[in-house]
Amino acid sequence: MGQGLWRVARNQQLQQEGYSEPGYLTREQSRRAAAGSVTTTSHRRQVQGGIDIYHLLKARKSKEQEGFINLEMLPPELSFTILSYLNATDLCLASCVWQDLANDELLWQGLCKSTWGHCSIYNKNPPLGFSFRKLYMQLDEGSLTFNANPEEGVNYFMSKGILDDSPKEIAKFIFCTRTLNWKKLRIYLDERRDVLDDLVTLHNFRNQFLPNALREFFRHIHAPEERGEYLETLITKFSHRFCACNPDLMRELGLSPDAVYVLCYSLILLSIDLTSPHVKNKMSKREFIRNTRRAAQNISEDFVGHLYDNIYLIGHVAA
């Protein structure tokens, strides 16, 4: 645009000086060109609130010509760092463009271990033709199978050599995996009490406040929707594990696994009372202290009061 105006001004100067070669504009042509250029410039700036569309389109075209950054031109460490932020689907798409980079074993190993933290096959010598990309597909398939039928899912993992037929290995796999359906997992653990025992021992409740430890426990092992034998089993196992992780605290407070069991039940009932919209008359702190100390007489009033405050401020222990 500026160059066109410069040519118009130059032609006018040359005509004033007497030049009339065919390559230059006449005075009338110069006038029309200048008027047309000003009109075009004014129109561009009036569109979209004064934004110069011409320059926007020109800048966009230049960006389109540049295209995407070619990861193969970057240092390998930087390329792998960029690709490590992709999920499995996007990494498969990236392999269509950067096959050597996106199919790297380290990237797929990171995806496997970030989703399934423990598998028996991680600690074994890889078989011939092993690849972490193939393992990811098998783990994803096995998880989907587990979420439909837990027993078939575990059998699938064992048939592929991913898991050993051991309650401890299965418990570690469940503890380090977040893709399993919690309802199906609850059914499976109710049937496999040997796996449940090993799963409970994987929790470390050392130096944790009782309601917080109970929340963490029910975050991994979901509580049943109704009271029953399975809930009693879970609370019993938690109480023994909590005492085993905090022997000094138990001696200081004079608590036993049976006393912790009573406190856990009291916390669950208090959680329901304070969070349920159907309960209009909420339990007061004084009532909770009185009821709890009536069931477990050796517990101090201050300790029970702190339990109430935790539920009141943070919320349900089994949500």
Side-chain angles (χ1 to χ4, degrees), residues 29-287:
Q29 289 174 335
S30 301
R31 186 186 64 78
R32 292 177 180 177
S37 178
V38 171
T39 303
T40 303
T41 304
S42 176
H43 174 70
R44 288 173 182 162
R45 290 181 177 175
Q46 288 175 0
V47 177
Q48 293 189 0
I51 298 177
D52 195 334
I53 301 298
Y54 172 77
H55 287 295
L56 287 177
L57 293 176
K58 186 176 180 180
R60 180 178 178 182
K61 184 176 181 180
S62 64
K63 289 183 179 179
E64 290 177 352
Q65 290 176 349
E66 293 176 1
F68 294 102
I69 298 175
N70 188 357
L71 296 183
E72 294 179 347
M73 303 299 294
L74 300 176
E77 296 82 1
L78 182 57
S79 301
F80 288 137
T81 301
I82 295 173
L83 292 175
S84 66
Y85 289 96
L86 302 181
N87 56 29
T89 302
D90 293 335
L91 196 57
C92 287
L93 295 175
S95 65
C96 299
V97 182
W98 304 289
Q99 185 173 1
D100 293 337
L101 290 173
N103 287 330
D104 189 83
E105 282 291 275
L106 289 177
L107 291 174
W108 287 99
Q109 180 181 359
L111 280 176
C112 289
K113 293 190 175 181
S114 63
T115 308
W116 300 274
H118 176 83
C119 293
S120 303
I121 197 172
Y122 293 160
N123 302 321
K124 298 179 181 179
N125 293 326
L128 185 64
F130 173 84
S131 72
F132 276 100
R133 179 171 178 170
K134 180 181 178 181
L135 177 61
Y136 184 96
M137 305 304 174
Q138 292 175 341
L139 286 168
D140 188 56
E141 179 69 22
S143 298
L144 293 174
T145 305
F146 184 96
N147 292 338
N149 188 312
E151 193 65 34
E152 291 183 3
V154 173
N155 292 335
Y156 175 88
F157 290 129
M158 293 178 182
S159 66
K160 299 298 182 180
I162 298 174
L163 278 181
D164 292 340
D165 189 5
S166 165
K168 188 175 183 179
E169 286 296 304
I170 299 174
K172 287 182 179 179
F173 174 80
I174 294 173
F175 185 78
C176 300
T177 302
R178 298 293 177 267
T179 59
L180 304 180
N181 182 275
W182 64 271
K183 292 184 178 180
K184 298 294 183 180
L185 182 59
R186 185 175 61 192
I187 296 174
Y188 180 77
L189 293 176
D190 192 13
E191 297 175 352
R192 291 292 303 269
R193 297 299 176 90
D194 53 345
V195 176
L196 177 61
D197 291 338
D198 288 316
L199 184 59
V200 172
T201 58
L202 293 175
H203 290 81
N204 183 10
F205 302 124
R206 184 172 179 80
N207 296 328
Q208 291 191 29
F209 194 37
L210 180 60
N212 298 334
L214 196 57
R215 286 190 188 91
E216 180 183 337
F217 179 74
F218 284 131
R219 194 175 296 121
H220 286 92
I221 307 174
H222 291 271
E225 298 176 355
E226 299 178 356
R227 303 180 192 178
E229 186 268 338
Y230 181 57
L231 178 61
E232 294 178 358
T233 300
L234 291 180
I235 298 177
T236 301
K237 293 182 182 298
F238 168 81
S239 301
H240 284 84
R241 182 60 183 169
F242 184 82
C243 292
C245 293
N246 299 280
D248 297 335
L249 179 63
M250 295 302 102
R251 285 193 297 267
E252 179 182 349
L253 297 176
L255 298 178
S256 63
D258 292 337
V260 175
Y261 178 91
V262 172
L263 290 176
C264 290
Y265 246 115
S266 299
L267 290 173
I268 293 175
L269 295 177
L270 177 64
S271 299
I272 297 173
D273 185 276
L274 294 182
T275 60
S276 176
H278 303 291
V279 180
K280 296 183 179 180
N281 298 322
K282 305 296 184 181
M283 184 183 300
S284 66
K285 186 175 182 179
R286 184 182 300 274
E287 292 173 336

